Structure formats: C-alpha cells, structure tokens
Amino acid sequence: MKHYSISLISYLNSRPFLYGLENHPIRDSIRIFLDIPSKTAIKLIDHQADIGLVPVGALTDLPGHRIISDYCISAAGAVRTVVLASDVPLEEIETVLLDYQSRSSVLLVRVLARFFWKKEFRWEKSSAGYEKKAISGKTAAVVIGDRVFEVEKRFRYIFDLSAEWMKFSGLPFVFAVWVAMEELPAAFRDLFNTAVGFGVKSVPEVEELVKDEYPGVDLNSYFNGNISYLLNDPKRQGMARFLELATRLREIMP
C-alpha cells in the first residue's frame, strides 16, 4: 500500500486538520510532517511531500498544481493571527520586517501597501526571534501564527491583515489550500477530503485537546469566529483577486 507524505502547517489554525487526519482510517496510509508555511511548497517542489497545505502566495511557484480539497485556511474578516505589529500608527511606519515563516502574508502586506494603503515602506527580511526584539519605533513587522498571541499584548498598534484585505476588496482571504503536484487516485482524494472535514467538524474535541497549550486564548472564538475552513465560491474569488494583484505587484516591483 502506498503511503502519502503530507506537509502540514504547524500552527493552531491547522490543528483541526491534524486531528482529522490522525483520527480517521486514512491515518494508516499517510505520514504527516509539521512545517512552517514557507516550507510546504518547497517540499512539494523537491518531491519530499505528496500533499501540502500550501500558502496561496506560493501557488505561482507550483505550475500544474492541483487543489485537492474543499477545505482551506481562510478568514472572512479578522483572522487574529496574521498581523502587522507596530509601536506607531500606520502613517508613521518606515520599515517593515517580513516574517521568515510566511509566504502569503508577506505578499499580502505588500499588496495592501501598494493598492490600499498607498504607502512606500522599506522592506527587510527577518530571522528567528525578530518579533521579540526588532519591532521598535518606526520599524514594524509582519507576524503570523501562534506567536501573535504574545505579540498582540505588547504593541499599541496591531493591524489585522485579513481585516484590512476585507476592507479593501470586500472578499474573504484564503491563506492556504491543500495541494498536490500529481493526480491522486479519486478514492484517496475522497478519503482525504472526508478526513480533513471530520477534523473541522471536531473543533470542540480539538479545543479540549489543546487548551493547556494556549492559556488565555479564547479557542472557541478563534476556531469559529476568526478561522474559516470551507473553500467556497467567495473564497475562490478572493483568492483569484489576490493572485491577480500579486502578479501586478511583481510586474511593477523593481
């Protein structure tokens, strides 16, 4: 029996997917690897994974990719865990550090800066630990994932990038989708979709499982209010709009 390798993002927002895959009969035919978002597409390119929860911002690096599931990581408004953190208001920010763990979010902040905020920033790369020491004065930073639960307590200005996208476009934002580079057997695709859907339906069990890891976090509000998992038509429209703007941005960037 073939075992499929799966690269899964290692954040709280993907824990329902992990729960579904680990508690469904599909577990006997898969191997799961937990990765930061910027690594999942690389693993598909390098044939280190058969399936990945891939940042939408990386899809253009995957010609011929196939979206294989009806589920995704998205938000229709504030997502909470993808932010621009700053000591000063948006109009006073001069430098933005880009989260090294991210693909979609660093592209999103540049799209917003160009087409919505009409702001010119100095963009700089980051490295591990930057969110603890490098955000100061007129230097802000994009921070994603579970680290935001601490970052949001420390800075006066927290700009939720998904909420900003909704203000700009009127559409939901899709952060990551399930992707394969090769055609999968229809029976396995159906089984996979059922498994991740089972995880989404099991959010109360996931909350109970992870509550000690996230003290002080309103898990019910996060899973049911901030994160949205079904990849429906409005989200596909939002994804297409974002990729269109990202392409335009690349054409005009120096």
Side-chain angles (χ1 to χ4, degrees):
M1 176 188 298
K2 177 176 173 61
H3 281 73
Y4 293 89
S5 297
I6 297 175
S7 177
L8 176 60
I9 293 170
S10 57
Y11 292 158
L12 176 62
N13 57 23
S14 64
R15 290 294 281 269
F17 292 153
L18 179 62
Y19 183 90
L21 293 168
E22 289 184 333
N23 291 276
H24 184 276
I26 200 174
R27 64 181 175 270
D28 296 326
S29 57
I30 61 174
R31 291 188 296 267
I32 300 172
F33 300 92
L34 299 180
D35 297 300
I36 60 174
S38 58
K39 297 296 184 184
T40 57
I42 293 172
K43 282 197 166 183
L44 287 178
I45 292 169
D46 292 343
H47 305 288
Q48 296 176 4
D50 300 299
I51 299 167
L53 186 57
V54 173
V56 167
L59 292 181
T60 53
D61 297 335
L62 300 171
H65 69 268
R66 297 160 171 82
I67 296 176
I68 63 164
S69 176
D70 299 326
Y71 298 94
C72 65
I73 301 291
S74 67
V79 71
R80 186 174 179 183
T81 46
V82 178
V83 303
L84 179 66
S86 175
D87 276 333
V88 299
L90 187 66
E91 58 270 18
E92 296 181 23
I93 296 172
E94 294 179 354
T95 301
V96 174
L97 304 176
L98 300 173
D99 194 330
Y100 69 97
Q101 294 192 12
S102 171
R103 290 293 300 273
S104 292
S105 303
V106 298
L107 193 52
L108 174 58
V109 75
R110 297 184 80 143
V111 165
L112 290 170
R114 178 76 183 195
F115 299 109
F116 183 41
W117 300 332
K118 311 295 185 183
K119 284 280 294 179
E120 295 284 344
F121 298 121
R122 181 167 56 251
W123 307 102
E124 294 186 1
K125 295 180 180 179
S126 68
S127 56
Y130 75 101
E131 75 279 1
K132 298 177 181 177
K133 55 189 178 184
I135 306 171
S136 179
K138 296 184 178 182
T139 297
V142 176
V143 185
I144 71 169
D146 299 352
R147 293 164 298 163
V148 176
F149 295 128
E150 291 301 320
V151 166
E152 67 184 5
K153 302 173 186 176
R154 294 173 27 227
F155 296 97
R156 183 176 179 185
Y157 296 94
I158 299 291
F159 304 96
D160 187 299
L161 297 187
S162 181
E164 293 294 304
W165 169 260
M166 177 62 83
K167 291 178 195 174
F168 168 56
S169 69
L171 293 166
F173 191 82
V174 180
F175 289 94
V177 290
W178 286 107
V179 167
M181 294 304 295
E182 298 181 2
E183 191 66 41
L184 300 174
F188 178 81
R189 281 186 58 165
D190 290 344
L191 198 65
F192 180 86
N193 202 49
T194 300
V196 293
F198 169 69
V200 171
K201 294 180 178 73
S202 302
V203 161
E205 289 81 358
V206 175
E207 291 176 16
E208 184 65 25
L209 189 65
V210 305
K211 64 182 182 181
D212 292 339
E213 299 176 46
Y214 297 92
V217 176
D218 185 340
L219 296 172
N220 182 267
S221 176
Y222 182 67
F223 282 126
N224 294 293
N226 297 118
I227 306 299
S228 183
Y229 291 103
L230 187 64
L231 183 57
N232 57 21
D233 286 342
K235 290 172 189 170
R236 291 181 185 275
Q237 292 170 21
M239 185 165 58
R241 177 64 173 150
F242 171 64
L243 291 173
E244 173 198 341
L245 290 171
T247 298
R248 286 175 54 190
L249 182 66
R250 289 189 181 101
E251 290 172 350
I252 59 181
M253 282 170 55

